[in-house]
Amino acid sequence: MARSPDASFYAYTPSAAVAAVCCALFGIALIWSTIMTIRKRSWVWTAQLLAILMEVVGYADRIISANNTSNLNLYAVQFCVIILAPVLMAGAIYVVFGRIVFHVVPAQERTTRLLWIPPRWITPIFVAFDILSLIVQLIGAVAVSSTKATDENAANKLKIGKDVALIGLALQIVAFGLFTIVAARFHFTSQRFETKLQSRLEDADRGRSVFVKGSSRKINPQWRRLLYAINVSCVLILIRSVFRVVEFAEGPTGTVMRQEWFMYVLDTLPIFLVVCSFCLFFPGSYLPYMGFRVPKQPEGARELQSADGSAIALREV
């Protein structure tokens, strides 16, 4: 049966009002995050700003799409950007975690045994998986959102697009799941470094930040709050990713795609909480060196081969 030109691309009646609220909330978070990024010179946080901007654009477009449900372009735009924004957020989290490890863990302790992955490769490895996941999900999302019921082999195109998107989501869940385990484990193992770190710190700014002795690096003594934000965000993004896997697996006739509230509760809400957590615990307020240039090693340090020969360690001299 041919699809009517006026038929909706949604399996429910989308709410323009709810989309407007989401657009406004993400918009406020974007303004605050932009101000903090500029104020703290945290240029590496640009990826997070872009992700929040995608959420704003997605829900703004959804407002229009809710009033014109038969427009394919409007539907495709909001679908794609809302699906892909969390991938960029994950990339920003990888970078921040790598910076925490650099500043908190003594140079000689930065080995594969500590994190199961060579510390210097934490950000490159996970960001590479993030980019791959982003590309695959983009291909799948575009294929699904741009397929019309009147297209030749529409059912086959939808299946291929759904399968591709599922592969991208599976990649994200595997990589981000592994990272979540590494970050959660570090949350506990890092406690043994706090005493050593405190002995290397000198008060500055009336206790709001401290200097690492022998260098110009500042670090907030409450840096563990940022680690809490990372761990909570990991769980929230995983919840959202599992939801999207179920959504794609069920297809357009499934329960998830036929009820709008599933998306707002299991995607919008978790992602907004991730954004809020980093607005409250802004990385640039806790860590130095939040620019694009990553410091290769602390002042007065040189590279050594680790004891087991499997990783490179740094020793302060």
Side-chain angles (χ1 to χ4, degrees):
M1 183 176 179
R3 177 184 182 277
S4 170
D6 296 325
S8 173
F9 282 98
Y10 299 90
Y12 49 78
T13 301
S15 171
V18 176
V21 171
C22 293
C23 181
L25 291 175
F26 278 109
I28 294 171
L30 176 61
I31 293 172
W32 175 255
S33 297
T34 301
I35 292 173
M36 292 299 292
T37 298
I38 296 173
R39 182 184 174 190
K40 300 293 183 178
R41 298 178 180 272
S42 302
W43 311 126
V44 75
W45 203 238
T46 304
Q48 178 76 349
L49 297 183
L50 179 58
I52 302 174
L53 177 62
M54 289 173 68
E55 296 284 356
V56 173
V57 171
Y59 289 106
D61 181 85
R62 193 175 176 88
I63 297 170
I64 304 172
S65 180
N67 295 309
N68 192 0
T69 58
S70 61
N71 188 299
L72 173 60
N73 292 331
L74 291 174
Y75 174 80
V77 169
Q78 62 85 29
F79 182 82
C80 289
V81 294
I82 292 175
I83 283 283
L84 299 176
V87 183
L88 292 180
M89 294 183 186
I93 291 174
Y94 296 147
V95 174
V96 172
F97 180 76
R99 301 296 174 90
I100 290 177
V101 172
F102 176 83
H103 292 297
V104 171
V105 180
Q108 67 273 16
E109 298 285 348
R110 294 186 213 131
T111 62
T112 306
R113 182 176 301 175
L114 174 67
L115 297 170
W116 299 342
I117 296 173
R120 60 168 25 172
W121 291 105
I122 286 178
T123 300
I125 288 175
F126 285 113
V127 168
F129 273 105
D130 210 44
I131 293 174
L132 178 60
S133 170
L134 176 65
I135 293 172
V136 175
Q137 287 185 60
L138 176 61
I139 294 172
V142 170
V144 170
S145 62
S146 62
T147 300
K148 298 179 180 179
T150 54
D151 290 346
E152 186 177 355
N153 297 322
N156 186 51
K157 290 180 179 178
L158 282 172
K159 183 180 184 303
I160 293 174
K162 182 186 72 173
D163 291 343
V164 171
L166 280 171
I167 292 173
L169 284 166
L171 282 173
Q172 182 183 1
I173 288 177
V174 170
F176 203 70
L178 175 59
F179 173 79
T180 300
I181 294 173
V182 170
R185 181 173 178 270
F186 180 76
H187 181 83
F188 296 101
T189 59
S190 63
Q191 293 178 6
R192 74 174 190 259
F193 301 123
E194 284 196 272
T195 302
K196 292 181 180 179
L197 179 63
Q198 291 300 323
S199 67
R200 298 164 55 214
L201 302 179
E202 297 175 335
D203 286 338
D205 302 333
R206 297 180 180 178
R208 287 176 295 178
S209 61
V210 290
F211 282 111
V212 177
K213 290 181 180 178
S215 77
S216 60
R217 289 186 292 148
K218 278 186 179 182
I219 185 171
N220 190 313
Q222 304 298 325
W223 61 269
R224 291 191 67 83
R225 294 177 181 176
L226 181 58
L227 194 57
Y228 275 112
I230 288 177
N231 280 279
V232 171
S233 295
C234 286
V235 174
L236 291 170
I237 291 178
L238 280 176
I239 290 173
R240 173 264 172 196
S241 298
V242 170
F243 157 70
R244 286 298 184 180
V245 167
V246 173
E247 179 186 44
F248 277 105
E250 286 189 348
T253 59
T255 302
V256 171
M257 276 197 174
R258 300 183 70 84
Q259 300 290 333
E260 186 177 27
W261 69 266
F262 277 110
M263 186 195 80
Y264 284 113
V265 172
L266 295 175
D267 187 310
T268 308
L269 179 59
I271 295 305
F272 182 67
L273 291 176
V274 170
V275 172
C276 288
S277 67
F278 289 112
C279 284
L280 184 60
F281 304 110
F282 188 74
S285 297
Y286 292 87
L287 300 174
Y289 298 139
M290 288 298 290
F292 289 116
R293 185 177 179 180
V294 180
K296 296 183 181 300
Q297 60 188 43
E299 297 178 16
R302 62 188 180 88
E303 290 189 350
L304 288 175
Q305 188 73 21
S306 61
D308 59 5
S310 63
I312 294 295
L314 293 172
R315 185 176 70 187
E316 295 180 351
V317 295

